[in-house]
Structure formats: structure tokens, C-alpha cells
Amino acid sequence: MNPVELIRKKRNGGALAPEEISWLVGAYAKGELPDYQMSAFLMAVCFRGMTADETTAFVDIMLHSGKVIDLSSIPGRKVDKHSTGGVGDKVSLILAPMVAACGVPVPMISGRGLGHTGGTLDKLESIPGFRTDLTIDEYREVIRDIGLVMIGQTAEIAPADRRMYALRDVTATVESIPLIAGSIMSKKLAEGIDALVLDIKSGDGAFMKTYNDAVTLGRTLVGIGTAAGKDTLGMITAMDQPLGAAIGNWCEVEEAMDCLRGKNVVDLMEVTYALGGAMVYFGGKAASIAEGMALCRSAIWSGAAHEKFLQLVERQGGDIAYLNEPGRVPAPRHRIEVRATSSGFVAGCATMKLGVLAVELGAGRRKVDDVIDPTAGIVLAKKVGDHTEKGETLATISTNREDAVRRAAEVCSASITIVPERVALPPRVQALIDRDGVKPWTAPTYY
Ligand code: URA
């Protein structure tokens, strides 16, 4: 096949046949199609989209670019969660050990930072020694032994996504429903799960900026999961301000550790408990999502979730001394306090701008071969709804990049809006999507 003709066809709004998509994706996964041609194709898809048939073929080909793991010999219903991407989204670091501590096996294949959003793999790899590139045999052993495993795409599992993901990260080709669907569902359907919970982010810091677009993405993902025979539920959650306080890699691990030790970072834990409740329910350990949420809370308060995370880190080669003594991680060269220029209430946060700033500080990649600085990032001292006095700290910026220092405080300050009057907080979990459609979310009353 001629790749130029296929790119031209998509660029002109045509629909590709399954064998044409298969050839393009297959050639790219094998390293036989260069990055520049795949970039052009991805950009054409961003502008022109894909038909339902093309999307189905794309997901299937992405999935079968590697092995599909069978975990049926491991007891219990295996359940995972995936987020469509957000700023400060460290939910997986808390959720996966919390759900595993409730007795539900969690096999998780995650991604790296993507565009302005962070990635679970980069966060885990900020723990010295942590290996996210296990072989399939190692993956199987870890989930069998401790009920939890967290890895990335490999040469064996979802290899097409491994290459395409890295390319989309640096070519502004993330915001496309079929590309997101192929990327997420190829990883999730390869893992050996029985059920899947999707965190579909909506708002300025998400790839879907509006609620309606998030619903469209959610319906697509839930439809694919359901058609593949997996119990699949989506939750639309707010991404109009960073989740929790930390944006970066090591600082997000630290915040996740605080939550695992029992700190209630309210917005972060509200989303984590809702998703966790659904996973525990799907795992057959609770009769409802509400009951699953209660079990998740107990796993945090008993210390079982924290214990499970340490077990995972040790098992995958990470040095838990860094988690127990955070001072071991070297401080970045620059630490800048951003202070409020007026008194009032924080009314909004330009979340995507903060995500882009974190990338510029060194927490993400601008080119495929950029090396992440684990200590780069932003920690917010004030969130939407909080009161501040003029001169109080709004955020602390950390970086080792001389070139980023000058503009960073200005960009961060301009991203946070302060108004004189109190502001109402929007709901954090906005709706559920299952095979029957979109439903309102009502948080359990004890919440
Ligand atoms: N997460 C993924 O794994 N892929 C995407 O394309 C977006 C979010």
C-alpha cells in the first residue's frame, strides 16, 4: 500500500477500509512507517475524524498489535480503571492499591504524560528503581502474588499504542475521540480484565473541554468495552481545576502517599472513592457502588491501601526508603513562591495553562526523547473556593530549568483568578455512563 495515498484519503475526508488501517498501524508498530507519515495521518484524523466502522477497526488493530493477556487462571474478577487524562490526576496511585486492598485484583496498564496532562508511568518512575516494563510472565506473577500490578505498554502489550502515544504527545494530536478510544481500549482490553471503570474528564484541563464532548467520548469508550464483553462504566468528572494540589511527578507521588496515609484531599478523594466504589462493586466484593465506597474508605483508614502500595513498589523494584523519607529526593535548583496580588476568593484556574507550564518546567516532554525531571512541578496552596489574603502563597513552582524560571511565576499567577465574592463549587462527579446511557450521579448520603 502507498502511505501517501492513505494519508491523502483521510486528509480529504474519506473513510479507510479496515485493511488500510491495519496496514498503516501494523507498519508503524513494526517501525516500517516513519514518524513523519504517522504524524501526518494522526493530524488528518484529528481534523477529519473516523467513522464508527473505522473506529472499530482501529481499536481492534491497535489491540492485536500485541498480545492479549489471559488472566482467567487467577482467582477473582479483575477490574481496572483508566482516565482520559487530566492535570494533577494522581488517582491511579491511590485507587489501584485501595481497590486491591479490598480484595479485587487490579491489573493496570497506564501511559506516560500526554500533551499537557500527566501520566501514571512517569509518576511511578519518579520512585527510584520502579520498573514499569515488566515482561508478560512478570506481570502475571505480580498480579497473582499481590493482587496488583502497574505497568506500561511494552513491545509485547499494545506496542502500536506505545509508539503512537509517544508521537501524539509531541505532535498536538491527542484531542480526537477515535485516537483516544484506540489508545485507551487497546491497553485495557489487552490486560486480562473482566470489568473496567473509566474516568472521563471534562473541562479546561481535559482533552474534552465540554460536558457534551465528554459524554460523546464516554459513550464511545463504554460501547467498545461492552461490545468486547467487559462490564464497563464511565464517570464524567470535573477537570476545570487540577485534582488535588500537586502537578508534576514526584510531588504527585508525595500527595498520593499522604492520601494513602489518610489525608483527605477533598476533591481528589471524592473522585477516587467514587471510582473505587464502582471497581469494588464490579469486582463482586460489594452489593452497590455506595457499599464499595465504604469498603474503600476502610482500606484507607486501616492502612491496608498504604501497605499494598508499598508492597507493589518493592515488588516492582522501587526503593520504598524514598517514600518513607521524602527528604531523600534532591531539591530542585529553583523554588518560586507565587503570591496573591489581591485579597478575595479563588474563582477559577486556567488548568490547561498550568499543565503546559508543568511540561515547560520539565515535568513533561516537548520532544519524544526529552527526559522527565521528576522534581519539576507546581504545588497549589489555594484551590477554587479558597479565601486568600493579598501576599499569601497561591502556589510553589519547582524546576531545574533556567529558561523556564523567568516566565513561570507570571504564567502561574495569571492562571489563578481571584474575585471579591465567595464562589460556588461545581460537582466533581457529574454523571455515570453505562450500556443504557447517561445517568445522574448521586453521592451516597454519608459522603
Ligand atoms: N489516555 C490514553 O491512554 N490515551 C489517550 O489517548 C488519552 C488518555
Side-chain angles (χ1 to χ4, degrees):
M1 292 202 193
N2 179 346
V4 181
E5 286 310 311
L6 300 184
I7 296 165
R8 194 192 325 276
K9 188 165 166 187
K10 182 44 69 188
R11 185 201 67 190
N12 291 345
L16 268 57
E19 55 277 16
E20 291 175 323
I21 299 177
S22 175
W23 183 83
L24 267 178
V25 172
Y28 186 63
K30 284 184 262 161
E32 291 164 6
L33 188 83
D35 281 349
Y36 53 81
Q37 286 184 317
M38 183 46 80
S39 303
F41 175 71
L42 294 170
M43 190 58 85
V45 174
C46 281
F47 280 111
R48 294 298 196 167
M50 280 186 178
T51 64
D53 286 349
E54 279 180 296
T55 305
T56 305
F58 181 63
V59 174
D60 194 56
I61 290 151
M62 295 281 289
L63 168 62
H64 292 103
S65 68
K67 299 210 171 90
V68 177
I69 300 169
D70 179 1
L71 295 180
S72 57
S73 61
I74 292 169
R77 281 175 58 76
K78 274 68 67 183
V79 188
D80 189 16
K81 177 262 0 175
H82 201 85
S83 159
T84 59
V87 177
D89 181 1
K90 71 276 297 169
V91 167
S92 292
L93 303 182
I94 309 161
L95 174 88
M98 178 181 80
V99 171
C102 293
V104 176
V106 182
M108 185 177 277
I109 301 180
S110 306
R112 299 190 177 282
L114 195 58
H116 65 280
T117 70
T120 301
L121 294 187
D122 293 331
K123 292 167 206 181
L124 286 171
E125 287 179 1
S126 72
I127 305 168
F130 195 100
R131 280 184 58 216
T132 60
D133 60 348
L134 304 188
T135 62
I136 293 183
D137 285 345
E138 289 171 323
Y139 173 86
R140 224 187 267 285
E141 268 168 39
V142 177
I143 182 80
R144 191 194 54 222
D145 293 352
I146 68 168
L148 172 64
V149 62
M150 295 176 85
I151 66 162
Q153 315 95 315
T154 66
E156 294 176 289
I157 313 167
D161 185 51
R162 183 159 82 138
R163 295 206 65 209
M164 226 181 268
Y165 193 98
L167 193 61
R168 288 169 64 220
D169 178 31
V170 292
T171 53
T173 52
V174 179
E175 295 92 336
S176 153
I177 288 179
L179 296 182
I180 294 175
S183 168
I184 293 181
M185 297 312 285
S186 64
K187 291 191 282 286
K188 301 292 109 175
L189 297 178
E191 305 172 320
I193 47 167
D194 299 296
L196 176 64
V197 176
L198 294 154
D199 182 3
I200 299 141
K201 302 276 185 211
S202 157
D204 173 62
F207 295 117
M208 298 296 118
K209 305 292 179 201
T210 66
Y211 176 80
N212 286 345
D213 283 349
V215 167
T216 306
L217 175 60
R219 283 182 188 275
T220 305
L221 297 174
V222 169
I224 295 167
T226 305
K230 314 292 176 194
D231 285 331
T232 311
L233 178 81
M235 288 191 178
I236 309 260
T237 68
M239 187 27 74
D240 37 23
Q241 66 168 324
L243 207 46
I247 310 164
N249 291 295
W250 177 246
C251 62
E252 289 199 36
V253 170
E254 283 188 304
E255 187 173 29
M257 288 303 293
D258 286 345
C259 293
L260 285 167
R261 290 188 192 104
K263 182 173 175 185
N264 188 22
V265 177
V266 177
D267 59 343
L268 174 58
M269 290 312 291
E270 185 175 333
V271 171
T272 305
Y273 283 133
L275 295 162
M279 289 176 75
V280 173
Y281 166 65
F282 272 160
K285 299 288 178 191
S288 65
I289 296 179
E291 196 181 308
M293 289 170 73
L295 290 176
C296 286
R297 282 173 172 274
S298 304
I300 293 285
W301 285 107
S302 67
H306 177 240
E307 213 29 63
K308 185 58 74 181
F309 188 66
L310 295 182
Q311 199 183 12
L312 171 86
V313 171
E314 276 201 307
R315 188 60 200 258
Q316 293 195 210
D319 186 347
I320 60 166
Y322 283 84
L323 300 174
N324 293 331
E325 309 153 38
R328 274 172 172 254
V329 174
R333 273 202 296 284
H334 303 281
R335 271 229 162 102
I336 311 151
E337 303 264 307
V338 178
R339 295 183 185 277
T341 51
S342 60
S343 297
F345 294 89
V346 176
C349 219
T351 312
M352 178 160 174
K353 265 196 198 145
L354 288 178
V356 171
L357 176 61
V359 171
E360 282 166 15
L361 296 171
R365 298 172 186 80
R366 293 178 290 190
K367 297 194 294 333
V368 169
D369 52 2
D370 276 352
V371 176
I372 294 279
D373 175 357
T375 62
I378 305 162
V379 178
L380 300 173
K382 302 284 179 185
K383 300 261 316 220
V384 173
D386 288 349
H387 183 264
T388 181
E389 290 296 334
K390 182 175 175 182
E392 259 194 278
T393 301
L394 292 178
T396 305
I397 294 171
S398 300
T399 187
N400 285 302
R401 275 204 186 139
E402 309 297 333
D403 58 344
V405 173
R406 217 166 353 101
R407 254 170 37 86
E410 200 183 304
V411 173
C412 185
S413 175
S415 303
I416 300 170
T417 311
I418 298 169
V419 297
E421 61 283 351
R422 203 175 274 282
V423 295
L425 287 178
R428 293 166 188 123
V429 181
Q430 299 171 342
L432 303 184
I433 304 182
D434 67 11
R435 57 168 73 205
D436 302 320
V438 183
K439 298 174 178 166
W441 162 256
T442 329
T445 44
Y446 60 77
Y447 209 72

